[in-house]
């Protein structure tokens, strides 16, 4: 059966307002003038959808937004970037979530978010399960980011995907409501490619050595655990016991790390779609992330496939 989409991204579609550069002692300053304050697209699922669409693939988005100006901004962005948003539910009486990102000079960030916004209100009822089989790959953009999409909801989504022979990818953030690994273990058993960053992985497993962290996740039945290790690159362990450590792009000065993990996942999933080897997937992911951290905003860095291919050539020249 031909699929009309390559990937369906499930998760958050919100707006980010990055403030950069912000000093860590901002509350000791009466007034803090910045060069620019603007709205940018944010949220794990729409970030992934945007980047993968720009990398040349047909992408669908499943999310929930309000019927408000911010929701309109998100829909307009999807139209502009060729993203299929037929799976985006718009609801009356819901405020589309906005994240204010406080970004330091060295690119680290803290988010201030609306706990009553769409991000916190999205449930399994906002997911059209009949649309899931439209794609080859399902990307659950971040476990825990939409708190009401709990393990039971994720299993329901993942079962539909597996019944339709789809590859399942998932990222995660730190647990918002004190959830533990046991709370998501069943859902993880369906995942083929899992993309936690090192800090998130350590917090969830209680381990600090990369091999130990990966082994805990492998015990849940995940096919490939890809741990993002920031400036070092990534560490990969697979169910067959094989291990890869793939270095990051050298010589990169980060000015904003917002969305770096989403860009990494986008690059990796793109390479999976194209049948690249596991090592090549990681290399493509590292390069995609390296572009994203050099621009303010999660989706402002990567603009085209040619841009990533040029950077990939530079990456290989470093090896």
């Amino acid at each position: 059966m031909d699929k009309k989409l390559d990937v369906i991204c499930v998760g958050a579609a919100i707006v980010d307002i990055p403030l950069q550069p912000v000093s860590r002692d901002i509350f000791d300053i009466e007034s803090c003038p910045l060069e620019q304050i603007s709205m940018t697209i944010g949220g794990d699922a729409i970030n992934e959808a945007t980047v993968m669409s720009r990398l040349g693939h047909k992408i669908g988005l499943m999310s929930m937004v309000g019927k408000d100006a911010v929701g309109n901004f998100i829909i307009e962005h999807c139209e502009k970037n060729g993203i299929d948003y037929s799976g985006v539910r718009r609801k009356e009486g819901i405020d589309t979530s906005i994240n204010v990102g406080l970004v330091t000079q060295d690119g680290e960030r803290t988010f201030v978010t609306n706990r009553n916004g769409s991000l916190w209100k999205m449930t399994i009822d906002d997911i059209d399960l009949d649309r899931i089989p439209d794609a080859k790959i399902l990307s659950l953009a971040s476990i825990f980011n939409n708190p009401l999409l709990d393990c039971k909801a994720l299993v329901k989504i993942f079962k539909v995907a597996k019944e339709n022979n789809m590859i399942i990818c998932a990222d995660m953030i730190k647990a918002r409501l004190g959830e533990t690994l046991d709370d998501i273990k069943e859902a993880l058993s369906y995942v083929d490619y899992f993309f936690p960053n090192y800090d998130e992985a350590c917090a969830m497993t209680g381990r600090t050595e990369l091999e130990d962290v990966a082994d805990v996740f492998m015990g849940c039945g995940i096919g490939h655990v890809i741990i993002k290790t920031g400036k070092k690159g990534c560490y990969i362990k697979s169910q067959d016991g094989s291990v890869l450590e793939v270095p990051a792009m050298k010589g990169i000065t980060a000015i904003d790390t917002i969305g770096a993990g989403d860009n990494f996942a986008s690059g990796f999933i793109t390479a999976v779609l194209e049948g690249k080897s596991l090592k090549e997937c990681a290399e493509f992911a590292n390069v995609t992330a390296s572009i994203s951290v050099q621009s303010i905003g999660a989706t402002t860095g990567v603009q085209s496939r040619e841009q990533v291919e040029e950077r990939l050539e530079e990456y290989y020249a470093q090896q």
Side-chain angles (χ1 to χ4, degrees), residues 171-174 195-205 228:
D171 204 334
M172 67 173 287
I173 64 169
K174 289 183 179 178
F195 309 114
N197 72 33
Y198 175 73
D199 290 339
E200 294 159 353
C202 291
M204 185 54 47
T205 63
K228 296 169 289 191

Side-chain angles (χ1 to χ4, degrees), residues 191-233:
V191 175
D192 298 294
Y193 298 93
F194 186 47
F195 309 114
N197 72 33
Y198 175 73
D199 290 339
E200 294 159 353
C202 291
M204 185 54 47
T205 63
R207 309 295 178 88
T208 57
E209 294 295 327
L210 282 168
E211 185 174 6
D212 294 340
V213 171
D215 284 344
V216 172
F217 283 129
M218 299 304 291
C220 299
I222 298 168
H224 307 277
V225 176
I226 301 98
I227 302 173
K228 296 169 289 191
T229 51
K231 295 177 182 178
K232 294 180 180 178

Side-chain angles (χ1 to χ4, degrees), residues 238-315:
S238 304
Q239 276 293 344
D240 64 6
S242 63
V243 172
L244 279 173
E245 292 191 62
V246 183
M249 182 86 186
K250 298 174 184 175
I252 300 299
T253 300
I255 65 170
D256 181 8
T257 58
I258 290 174
D262 299 334
N263 278 262
F264 178 96
S266 299
F268 200 103
I269 296 168
T270 294
V272 170
L273 270 171
E274 296 169 5
K276 296 184 186 296
S277 70
L278 198 58
K279 183 173 181 287
E280 290 171 328
C281 289
E283 292 167 341
F284 198 86
N286 282 339
V287 166
T288 304
S290 79
I291 296 172
S292 76
V293 300
Q294 293 185 302
S295 297
I296 295 176
T299 60
T300 51
V302 175
Q303 292 293 321
S304 69
R305 178 60 179 255
E306 293 73 24
Q307 180 189 18
V308 178
E309 293 290 352
E310 287 178 10
R311 177 65 63 86
L312 190 62
E313 289 184 14
E314 296 174 23
Y315 175 85

Side-chain angles (χ1 to χ4, degrees), residues 59 92 125 157 165 188 203 211:
I59 311 299
E92 294 279 4
D125 294 333
I157 295 168
N165 301 310
L188 290 178
E211 185 174 6

